[in-house]
Amino acid sequence: MDSPNVLLVILDSVRARNMSIYDYGARTTPFLERFADEAAVYKQARAPSIHSVASHASIFTGYHVPEHGVTKHESELDPTGTIWHELAADHDYETGIFTPNVVVGVSSNLTDPFDTVDGPRQDPGHRYFEAGIAPSDIEGHQTNREYLGRCFNSDAPLRSVVNGLYFQYYDGGTEVEDESATEYIDSFLEWSGSRNGPWAACLNLMDAHYPYEPDTEYDQWGGSELQALHDSLSAPPSREIVTDGDWWKLRAVESLYDGCIRQLDAAMEYLTAALRDRGELDETLLVITSDHGEGFGERSRIDPSVQVADHSWGIHEVQTHVPLVIRYPGGGDGTAEDRLASLTRFPDVVRSELADERGSFAVDDHAVAMTYRLEQPERVLPAACADRESYGGPWRAVYRQDGDRVRKVADHGSDVRSEVIESAQVSYPRGDGDAELLDRIYGGFEDAGVRGSPADDASLDDDVERQLEELGYLR
């Protein structure tokens, strides 16, 4: 066949554990369960990191985190080292990325390899005067009277009032830009439908990322009380919860997260139906996956005193075990793949498809997952947080096939533990791990030369920093 289209869909922050296609109790993915009849479903897929910037860099280049070194929000990746550049330069593809993700689209340069970039659309400022507060500076809900009170108690009361008027009447009012999955899918469909040759695109969709706010139609397991609890949490919630110890709050809002996954499942149905109706689905390599999962208070198997919150620290299975559903051009009869798989295989799978061969995400030897976060827990966690150093990175893991199961060896500092993973729902500890194995594999990594500037001490714009915190990132 002619060069196939390539579509990578990253359901940001979606963990395999909470998807009914992986035997979760709540029916969060009814469409993907049906879609599996014409796709390959990997049951043991691992993300290369727990953080968007590092994981995307690995997926785009095929390199592991220690090889590419792109680990911070402001890190840069050499665009020429990505599969997107290769497709454009060597195979005449048109490329595009569609995402509301601030980490991907603003703080880093991960959109640089693409010809077309859409998003994020939400203006991070919403102010007329810089020297004054604005409604977007205030966490949670507020009345006009409460906002005016803050204005008059600020250092620039009149300018703050003008910022409020600008926000309400001249800058879109209180309406927020639609950053939903279907909005970006529509943009992608308009773009891809106007291409004359083969295209390659990435859709990074944030519906399941914090804050967890599913539409009413999909909020099947949450409700108003949990929504109120969710809204009472400060941003980022991990800082508050790890300090106060109110882990039950995080566990409670997991039900809202399930609704977000259901919402994304419906978006996947909408996307595939549109491609099918246009006759493009059979001409497209479609990869549906996630860059990492989320933690809702699960205890680390390496150090049980540490509980994981969202994707701020740790190397827990809920953060690294991700969905992976592949529909090859022309479709298929539906297969379930039990072998260990790594998302770093994405560039090679694309290259295989260009060679008219069937590529696989399965690994022959091992997969790895690593994060350096938190790099400075003493700076980003409050002094009231006990044992802040316990949350500091790096966290490292190596996965190997063990019969029909996967064995994981992970370390954090001097602690090394082993774990057996039977499925996204079932895993159990196996005592001390093999420290020599970890050191041998990680000691064999070399710099791949794909990391760009800026310098390590580069800083981000204040509005970008604020947006990252609102999305739950510790800064």
Side-chain angles (χ1 to χ4, degrees):
M1 65 177 295
D2 294 333
S3 298
N5 302 317
V6 177
L7 178 55
L8 171 66
V9 182
I10 295 179
L11 308 177
D12 205 292
S13 303
V14 171
R15 65 191 202 177
R17 182 185 179 94
N18 286 56
M19 303 177 75
S20 52
I21 193 175
Y22 293 105
D23 300 321
Y24 185 56
R27 194 109 189 272
T28 54
T29 54
F31 166 70
L32 286 177
E33 290 168 48
R34 299 192 302 271
F35 191 63
D37 291 340
E38 56 185 294
V41 179
Y42 286 80
K43 295 186 175 182
Q44 291 280 8
R46 294 304 185 279
S49 188
I50 68 161
H51 187 209
S52 288
V53 67
S55 207
H56 277 77
S58 287
I59 298 169
F60 288 3
T61 64
Y63 292 117
H64 298 294
V65 174
E67 295 176 302
H68 63 63
V70 179
T71 60
K72 299 181 180 180
H73 291 102
E74 57 271 29
S75 294
E76 292 194 357
L77 177 69
D78 181 357
T80 65
T82 68
I83 186 62
W84 311 109
H85 174 82
E86 182 179 329
L87 287 171
D90 299 341
H91 302 282
D92 296 323
Y93 276 72
E94 293 188 68
T95 60
I97 185 168
F98 305 82
T99 179
N101 193 331
V102 177
V103 171
V104 173
V106 179
S107 69
S108 71
N109 76 326
L110 289 173
T111 60
D112 283 2
F114 298 89
D115 302 319
T116 298
V117 177
D118 182 1
R121 301 173 187 175
Q122 186 64 49
D123 178 6
H126 293 301
R127 69 186 70 234
Y128 188 82
F129 291 110
E130 286 299 319
I133 65 171
S136 56
D137 296 332
I138 313 301
E139 294 178 0
H141 303 290
Q142 61 183 334
T143 65
N144 288 337
R145 178 175 294 181
E146 288 171 335
Y147 177 71
L148 285 174
R150 289 188 172 96
C151 291
F152 292 128
N153 288 321
S154 71
D155 294 333
L158 293 180
R159 294 187 178 191
S160 298
V161 170
V162 171
N163 281 343
L165 293 172
Y166 174 73
F167 177 79
Q168 187 167 358
Y169 297 107
Y170 300 105
D171 198 33
T174 56
E175 295 294 324
V176 177
E177 289 283 351
D178 187 353
E179 300 275 27
S180 67
T182 52
E183 184 71 15
Y184 282 92
I185 289 171
D186 281 339
S187 178
F188 155 74
L189 289 170
E190 180 180 358
W191 171 83
S192 59
S194 63
R195 302 304 97 185
N196 295 320
W199 49 259
C202 176
L203 272 166
N204 173 276
L205 306 174
M206 296 281 281
D207 297 44
H209 193 287
Y210 176 86
Y212 312 119
E213 299 172 336
D215 292 342
T216 302
E217 178 182 359
Y218 304 109
D219 187 17
Q220 300 176 13
W221 305 278
S224 58
E225 290 187 13
L226 285 182
Q227 291 167 6
L229 172 63
H230 174 279
D231 292 345
S232 72
L233 298 174
S234 61
S238 53
R239 180 183 288 131
E240 172 187 335
I241 287 169
V242 77
T243 303
D244 297 341
D246 291 333
W247 291 97
W248 67 270
K249 295 180 179 179
L250 197 59
R251 288 191 289 271
V253 300
E254 184 181 348
S255 295
L256 296 172
Y257 174 74
D258 287 344
C260 295
I261 296 176
R262 178 66 187 89
Q263 182 168 310
L264 281 171
D265 182 71
M268 293 301 94
E269 184 171 18
Y270 175 70
L271 169 66
T272 54
L275 291 173
R276 199 187 304 271
D277 288 346
R278 293 198 322 206
E280 288 189 303
L281 187 60
D282 280 341
E283 301 173 352
T284 301
L285 172 66
L286 173 60
V287 178
I288 302 173
T289 186
S290 177
D291 54 343
H292 55 73
E294 291 283 82
F296 289 94
E298 294 85 357
R299 291 193 179 276
S300 167
R301 288 267 169 81
I302 309 173
D303 180 357
S305 69
V306 173
Q307 295 174 257
V308 291
D310 50 64
H311 46 282
S312 292
W313 56 76
I315 202 75
H316 199 285
E317 282 304 284
V318 296
Q319 299 166 310
T320 61
H321 198 152
V322 293
L324 181 57
V325 178
I326 317 301
R327 189 187 191 277
Y328 294 96
D333 297 328
T335 58
E337 179 58 78
D338 293 320
R339 290 181 296 168
L340 176 64
S342 173
L343 300 189
T344 56
R345 294 278 306 153
F346 175 68
D348 283 338
V349 170
V350 173
R351 294 182 187 112
S352 294
E353 204 61 42
L354 291 174
D356 204 21
E357 299 172 355
R358 183 55 48 89
S360 173
F361 282 84
V363 295
D364 294 328
D365 187 12
H366 61 264
V368 304
M370 180 188 185
T371 182
Y372 289 98
R373 290 167 60 85
L374 291 170
E375 294 188 51
Q376 295 180 295
E378 71 284 353
R379 184 178 68 84
V380 299
L381 294 178
C385 174
D387 300 323
R388 287 185 293 180
E389 65 278 3
S390 299
Y391 300 90
W395 304 74
R396 306 186 303 178
V398 170
Y399 299 89
R400 292 176 297 167
Q401 197 74 42
D402 182 13
D404 58 355
R405 306 171 300 178
V406 167
R407 186 175 292 270
K408 172 184 180 181
V409 178
D411 71 350
H412 177 231
S414 60
D415 295 321
V416 187
R417 296 291 183 269
S418 179
E419 186 175 351
V420 172
I421 300 99
E422 293 190 357
S423 68
Q425 309 300 329
V426 179
S427 65
Y428 41 90
R430 272 295 190 226
D432 293 341
D434 186 347
E436 291 184 1
L437 171 71
L438 284 163
D439 290 340
R440 175 174 60 80
I441 290 177
Y442 279 88
F445 288 127
E446 297 181 355
D447 186 350
V450 295
R451 183 183 178 188
S453 296
D456 289 339
D457 60 354
S459 61
L460 297 174
D461 179 89
D462 288 344
D463 284 332
V464 176
E465 292 277 12
R466 178 185 58 77
Q467 271 198 314
L468 290 172
E469 289 214 0
E470 289 176 352
L471 287 171
Y473 292 107
L474 290 173
R475 302 294 297 158

